[in-house]
């Protein structure tokens, strides 16, 4: 295989704080090695248009120009979730188009779905490096993903504010955070804010137990108790007729109305006779300015990506994913990073502690 001279880079999946810092890092380190860096727009979608309108999908990234995006919010390269890329013939064409553009290797910043795409491109002869860009921290092989620390800080700031107003009004709070199927953002936010309850998708939960705990906390004078709940936990609730509670409370509820943070707060309000209120933190977690940790991690990851591509890429069929292990940035083959036979560690003891203190 020829030595890499031109690298492509894309961001894919949900945007995450730190993605831009990783682009800056790759651009600067690439320049030092004499590589040219091409930015591909809107994730793998940008690869699909390379043969028709390359000018809309690809841009030369001048290291001096991109320096300005170091702490920019969102992702400069734009992002997307690209379903057609699941099809082998679409990927084969993308690899062909990359070669036609003289792009010999790719740096992909994204989560597990993006990594699967990158691994497939490796098999088609395009060496790929993955940088874990997702706020969810749901990748087993790494202690941190780009944007996770920022998302936690956004949630902590929000919960602190919510707890202040909750205290003023003697109102318990239900606060929903993101994380997809991983409860890390919820757990970290709960620990850092002293929240009295947490619900995560890793654990089954019982709404009546939550209501009992809230009643207990209120009886002890804690009238502003906070429940931090991760999104996508609803299917982990033990069967309980919460609609009946709402209907008996005099509120309108339909059989197909799903449980959500607002309805959970209403059920808790009715069961514990308090003014529980709900807040969904939402996309503010993704659109925040990266913390120093995320920016620095992005920079180190970008440097490692370029270092790997400047070595021998002839044995790159498995590509490499960059992550953090024992606090240090390291790389491991995609196959190992994506191996879901080894579940991600979840600290059940800490979970029980938060819910019982
Ligand atoms: O993966 C990042 C994430 O923000 C998840 O936490 C969340 O479930 C999902 O993306 C939301 O995706 P969308 O941008 O499609 O609403």
């Amino acid at each position: 295989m020829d030595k890499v001279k031109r690298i492509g880079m894309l961001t894919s999946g949900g945007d995450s704080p730190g993605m831009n810092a990783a682009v800056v890092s790759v651009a600067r380190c690439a320049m030092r090695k004499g590589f040219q860096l091409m930015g591909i727009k809107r994730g793998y979608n940008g690869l699909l248009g390379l043969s028709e309108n390359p000018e809309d999908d690809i841009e030369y990234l001048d290291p001096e120009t991109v320096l300005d995006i170091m702490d920019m919010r969102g992702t400069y390269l734009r992002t997307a979730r690209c379903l057609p890329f699941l099809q082998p013939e679409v990927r084969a064409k993308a690899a062909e188009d990359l070669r036609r553009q003289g792009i010999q290797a790719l740096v992909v910043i994204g989560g597990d779905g993006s990594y699967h795409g990158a691994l497939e491109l490796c098999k088609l002869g395009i060496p790929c490096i993955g940088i874990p860009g997702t706020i969810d921290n749901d990748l087993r092989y790494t202690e941190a993903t780009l944007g996770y620390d920022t998302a936690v800080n956004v949630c902590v700031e929000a919960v602190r504010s919510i707890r202040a107003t909750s205290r003023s009004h003697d109102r318990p709070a239900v606060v929903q955070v993101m994380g997809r199927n991983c409860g890390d953002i919820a757990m970290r936010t709960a620990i850092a804010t002293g929240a009295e309850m947490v619900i995560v998708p890793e654990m089954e939960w019982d709404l009546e137990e939550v209501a009992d705990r809230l009643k207990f906390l209120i009886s002890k004078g804690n009238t502003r108790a906070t429940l931090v709940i991760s999104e996508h936990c609803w299917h982990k609730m033990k069967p309980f007729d919460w609609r009946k509670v709402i209907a008996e409370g005099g509120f309108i509820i339909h059989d197909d109305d799903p449980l959500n943070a607002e309805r959970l707060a209403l059920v808790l309000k009715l069961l514990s006779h308090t003014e529980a209120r709900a807040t969904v933190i939402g996309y503010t977690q993704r659109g925040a300015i990266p913390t120093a940790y995320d920016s620095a991690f992005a920079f180190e990851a970008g440097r490692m990506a370029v270092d790997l591509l400047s070595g021998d890429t002839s044995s790159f069929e498995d590509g490499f994913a960059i992550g953090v292990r024992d606090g240090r940035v390291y790389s491991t083959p995609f196959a190992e990073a994506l191996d879901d036979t080894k579940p991600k560690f979840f600290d059940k003891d800490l979970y029980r502690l938060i819910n019982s203190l």
Side-chain angles (χ1 to χ4, degrees):
M1 185 174 286
D2 290 342
K3 230 174 153 22
V4 170
K5 294 196 190 75
R6 192 180 239 202
I7 305 174
M9 181 162 199
L10 58 84
T11 55
S12 164
D15 61 350
S16 68
M19 282 180 160
N20 291 327
V23 172
V24 174
S25 169
V26 172
R28 293 176 80 182
C29 298
M31 184 180 70
R32 202 172 59 144
K33 300 273 184 192
F35 298 160
Q36 214 182 29
L37 182 64
M38 307 304 291
I40 292 156
K41 302 289 178 72
R42 298 178 179 84
Y44 290 112
N45 280 340
L47 296 185
L48 308 189
L50 286 186
S51 47
E52 288 115 45
N53 299 307
E55 63 281 2
D56 293 341
D57 295 307
I58 188 165
E59 161 191 338
Y60 169 63
L61 295 177
D62 179 329
E64 286 310 311
T65 317
V66 295
L67 203 50
D68 280 347
I69 67 168
M70 184 76 191
D71 48 14
M72 174 184 160
R73 299 166 190 262
T75 164
Y76 171 80
L77 291 177
R78 311 285 176 93
T79 187
R81 295 191 167 93
C82 179
L83 290 178
F85 213 69
L86 293 172
Q87 298 163 28
E89 60 279 12
V90 171
R91 292 195 298 266
K93 173 139 190 338
E96 212 31 65
D97 287 341
L98 275 170
R99 273 190 273 271
R100 224 194 324 270
Q101 295 285 334
I103 296 174
Q104 297 138 305
L106 205 58
V107 178
V108 171
I109 313 182
D112 58 349
S114 314
Y115 275 16
H116 279 288
L119 177 56
E120 294 302 328
L121 281 176
C122 290
K123 291 181 186 150
L124 292 164
I126 306 284
C128 291
I129 306 287
I131 295 180
T134 166
I135 61 166
D136 300 334
N137 205 35
D138 56 352
L139 296 168
R140 183 196 57 81
Y141 79 97
T142 178
E143 288 158 16
T145 55
L146 272 191
Y148 167 62
D149 185 62
T150 307
V152 168
N153 276 283
V154 167
C155 294
V156 166
E157 184 58 27
V159 170
R160 284 179 179 154
S161 299
I162 291 164
R163 277 166 81 78
T165 177
S166 294
R167 182 187 293 110
S168 307
H169 288 263
D170 296 300
R171 282 177 184 159
V174 172
V175 185
Q176 181 179 306
V177 302
M178 280 185 166
R180 216 158 43 131
N181 298 317
C182 177
D184 284 14
I185 295 179
M187 288 285 286
R188 201 115 187 109
T189 300
I191 311 163
T193 57
E196 294 81 355
M197 293 169 282
V198 66
I199 296 175
V200 290
E202 287 86 348
M203 302 293 288
E204 193 176 54
W205 59 286
D206 184 328
L207 204 161
E208 281 177 292
E209 260 176 31
V210 174
D212 286 346
R213 173 147 168 82
L214 183 56
K215 280 189 253 179
F216 168 77
L217 290 164
I218 292 167
S219 73
K220 295 280 172 204
N222 183 350
T223 50
R224 60 95 163 91
T226 305
L227 163 62
V228 177
I229 181 162
S230 188
E231 59 177 2
H232 306 320
C233 284
W234 312 111
H235 65 293
K236 297 302 281 279
M237 187 186 77
K238 285 190 186 160
F240 174 68
D241 196 353
W242 56 272
R243 287 190 188 85
K244 189 166 167 231
V245 177
I246 292 182
E248 286 178 358
F251 295 87
I252 294 169
I253 186 82
H254 302 107
D255 286 349
D256 53 357
D257 286 338
L259 188 55
N260 58 22
E262 210 159 316
R263 294 196 178 107
L264 175 60
L266 177 57
V267 174
L268 291 175
K269 169 178 158 153
L270 294 166
L271 292 177
S272 62
H273 312 290
T274 57
E275 277 301 318
R277 298 289 169 95
T279 306
V280 176
I281 299 182
Y283 294 110
T284 56
Q285 294 156 91
R286 290 211 316 227
I289 294 176
T291 56
Y293 179 89
D294 278 330
S295 296
F297 171 29
F299 206 89
E300 285 196 57
R303 179 182 68 163
M304 185 169 279
V306 174
D307 281 350
L308 285 163
L309 290 175
S310 60
D312 178 12
T313 56
S314 57
S315 58
F316 255 58
E317 306 85 49
D318 273 349
F320 284 100
I322 294 171
V324 180
R325 189 170 55 193
D326 299 328
R328 299 184 73 88
V329 175
Y330 84 114
S331 66
T332 188
F334 278 126
E336 164 66 19
L338 293 169
D339 179 2
D340 51 17
T341 58
K342 300 177 199 154
K344 187 171 169 349
F345 173 73
F346 177 76
D347 194 339
K348 288 187 185 164
D349 189 50
L350 188 58
Y351 168 85
R352 291 193 192 101
L353 194 65
I354 297 168
N355 283 311
S356 63
L357 282 178

